[in-house]
Amino acid sequence: MNSKIVSILAVWYNNQVCYVRWQNVVSSGFNMCNGTRQGGVLSSYLFTRYVRDLLREVNNTGIGCFIGDQCINILAYADDLVLIAPSWWALQILLNVVHENSTLIDLSCNVSKTVCMTFTPKNRNRVINTVSSI
């Protein structure tokens, strides 16, 4: 990325002033020292650049669900991440990688918005019925 663009973004994001609107009342302005603008056109792009190494590390595990030769194990859109794993132990490995890498970049996950979904397989003969804690 061009260094002039980075400088412009740095000035822009370091001088953000936010307001809270509730019903018909608007608060006085306050400085926002980190993060991107909610709904901003650059926000999802900047977030994916911020978590790029985390995405790469998860992808490099080779653990996930395969479509042909392609391993699918993490999807990222805006500020949402989805882990895709074929089993609970594979999911735990991916969660460990996410935890290690999110610590490096000081990224926290909102566990109150975190869910785990399972899908019933077509062939139940190959499935272990017990699920361990994640």
Side-chain angles (χ1 to χ4, degrees):
M1 186 177 274
N2 184 308
S3 62
K4 290 181 182 179
I5 293 173
V6 172
S7 296
I8 290 169
L9 289 173
V11 169
W12 187 29
Y13 278 97
N14 283 327
N15 295 301
Q16 293 184 91
V17 177
C18 298
Y19 299 86
V20 175
R21 176 182 295 161
W22 185 17
Q23 297 175 357
N24 294 327
V25 179
V26 178
S27 73
S28 55
F30 58 93
N31 292 330
M32 188 168 86
C33 301
N34 61 1
T36 59
R37 295 177 180 185
Q38 185 173 358
V41 294
L42 286 176
S43 297
S44 60
Y45 176 80
L46 294 172
F47 181 74
T48 56
R49 293 304 169 264
Y50 180 66
V51 296
R52 181 176 28 199
D53 291 339
L54 181 149
L55 299 174
R56 186 179 303 117
E57 289 298 319
V58 171
N59 189 266
N60 286 343
T61 64
I63 297 171
C65 295
F66 284 80
I67 300 175
D69 295 358
Q70 184 68 43
C71 178
I72 308 295
N73 58 10
I74 190 164
L75 304 174
Y77 180 76
D79 63 349
D80 294 319
L81 299 176
V82 176
L83 295 175
I84 301 172
S87 66
W88 65 265
W89 61 265
L91 179 59
Q92 184 63 61
I93 292 169
L94 297 179
L95 285 169
N96 293 344
V97 172
V98 168
H99 175 71
E100 291 168 17
N101 286 273
S102 62
T103 301
L104 295 174
I105 59 173
D106 198 26
L107 176 71
S108 61
C109 297
N110 186 342
V111 295
S112 67
K113 293 183 177 181
T114 302
V115 297
C116 182
M117 295 172 45
T118 60
F119 298 92
T120 305
K122 290 180 181 178
N123 184 353
R124 290 196 103 5
N125 297 333
R126 300 176 66 192
V127 177
I128 300 170
N129 289 326
T130 58
V131 176
S132 179
S133 300
I134 297 177

